[in-house]
Amino acid sequence: MKHLNEINSDGFTIINNVYNENEIEKIISLIEKTTQNDTENPTFRKSEDLFAIRQFHKEIPEVLDFVFNQNLKDILEKTFGKGYFITKSIYFDKPEKSNWFVSYHQDLTISVDKKMEISNFKNWTVKQNQFAVQPPKEILENNFTVRIHMDKTTKENGALKVVNNSHSKGIVRVDDLNIENETICEVEKGGIMIMKPLLFHASNKTTNNERRRVIHIEFSKYELPDGIAWSERI
């Protein structure tokens, strides 16, 4: 209940020691094997400041057996119960000298298989044949995200900073954000952070020449209206 209480009150919780060294190395090995053999994949994004794999669990499905170890499965079931499924996943690799940073924002969109007119679904975008849309607030309020850390993450290499309890305010313009209680979410290698999509979060530049690799997985238990589907559901 401790973690659920923290999620409800602050919008996030941090749990270390979810993965051991061998599990981390196996996950990294599978990622490196895939990326070395497939350099032109359109779901890969590569720059000097960031490497990312979108639709991560679809691109490297064999990694799921290691991502969903018994520790993670127990944590998710005890915290949220049953009935949740993956709706999106991304792998981020922030290199040692990255100047990439992200300003404060909420995660307001979901990935779906097509665009169509549906009440209360708005702000449609499409990127590389991937449709995204902002769903009703109730869906976002009940979804959650797990961030799995492949490296020790500190304020010097881009740990997320969040505005505590900002998820409880609903959908808010960043200009109206009142930063009363900010936390830098440092996580040990092999630890996880669970957060709500409406929690305002940001990431600074890397200053200590240390890499930061994170697997970002979003979950929901909502069935979408007839006609559209979660494009990454598993």
Side-chain angles (χ1 to χ4, degrees), residues 150-168:
M150 304 288 102
D151 302 289
K152 180 180 176 68
T153 304
T154 68
K155 62 182 180 181
E156 284 83 19
N157 70 335
L160 283 193
K161 56 181 181 180
V162 304
V163 180
N164 295 44
N165 195 40
S166 55
H167 70 298
S168 68

Side-chain angles (χ1 to χ4, degrees), residues 104-210:
Y104 266 119
H105 66 285
Q106 297 172 298
D107 291 337
L108 297 180
T109 63
I110 60 173
S111 297
V112 295
D113 63 337
K114 65 173 71 72
K115 179 180 179 179
M116 60 185 297
E117 292 298 321
I118 303 177
S119 178
N120 296 321
F121 284 71
K122 58 186 181 181
N123 298 330
W124 288 88
T125 61
V126 60
K127 189 180 299 182
Q128 297 170 339
N129 295 320
Q130 174 69 69
F131 295 93
V133 64
Q134 182 178 320
K137 179 167 65 77
E138 292 73 24
I139 293 180
L140 296 173
E141 287 176 334
N142 287 281
N143 289 357
F144 67 90
T145 298
V146 176
R147 293 171 57 88
I148 301 165
H149 289 253
M150 304 288 102
D151 302 289
K152 180 180 176 68
T153 304
T154 68
K155 62 182 180 181
E156 284 83 19
N157 70 335
L160 283 193
K161 56 181 181 180
V162 304
V163 180
N164 295 44
N165 195 40
S166 55
H167 70 298
S168 68
K169 316 299 183 186
I171 297 173
V172 180
R173 293 174 63 249
V174 68
D175 292 342
D176 297 328
L177 178 63
N178 184 9
I179 303 178
E180 297 175 343
N181 188 4
E182 184 181 76
T183 298
I184 296 175
C185 300
E186 298 187 320
V187 185
E188 295 294 328
K189 180 179 182 179
I192 67 172
M193 176 184 177
I194 303 175
M195 59 180 283
K196 302 296 287 183
L198 294 183
L199 182 73
F200 271 95
H201 55 287
S203 174
N204 288 337
K205 299 176 182 179
T206 298
T207 60
N208 65 351
N209 291 325
E210 290 187 5

Side-chain angles (χ1 to χ4, degrees), residues 49-153:
D49 292 323
L50 177 70
F51 175 73
I53 303 174
R54 298 186 179 277
Q55 303 183 38
F56 173 70
H57 64 285
K58 286 187 169 184
E59 295 295 343
I60 315 177
E62 58 270 31
V63 82
L64 289 177
D65 287 340
F66 299 96
V67 168
F68 285 89
N69 67 3
Q70 196 60 49
N71 281 343
L72 183 63
K73 289 191 285 189
D74 288 345
I75 289 167
L76 296 185
E77 184 168 333
K78 289 176 182 176
T79 305
F80 299 103
K82 297 183 178 181
Y84 282 87
F85 47 85
I86 295 174
T87 62
K88 181 190 290 187
S89 67
I90 308 171
Y91 168 73
F92 295 106
D93 181 353
K94 193 172 184 179
E96 296 89 337
K97 298 185 182 300
S98 176
N99 285 318
W100 181 64
F101 73 96
V102 180
S103 57
Y104 266 119
H105 66 285
Q106 297 172 298
D107 291 337
L108 297 180
T109 63
I110 60 173
S111 297
V112 295
D113 63 337
K114 65 173 71 72
K115 179 180 179 179
M116 60 185 297
E117 292 298 321
I118 303 177
S119 178
N120 296 321
F121 284 71
K122 58 186 181 181
N123 298 330
W124 288 88
T125 61
V126 60
K127 189 180 299 182
Q128 297 170 339
N129 295 320
Q130 174 69 69
F131 295 93
V133 64
Q134 182 178 320
K137 179 167 65 77
E138 292 73 24
I139 293 180
L140 296 173
E141 287 176 334
N142 287 281
N143 289 357
F144 67 90
T145 298
V146 176
R147 293 171 57 88
I148 301 165
H149 289 253
M150 304 288 102
D151 302 289
K152 180 180 176 68
T153 304

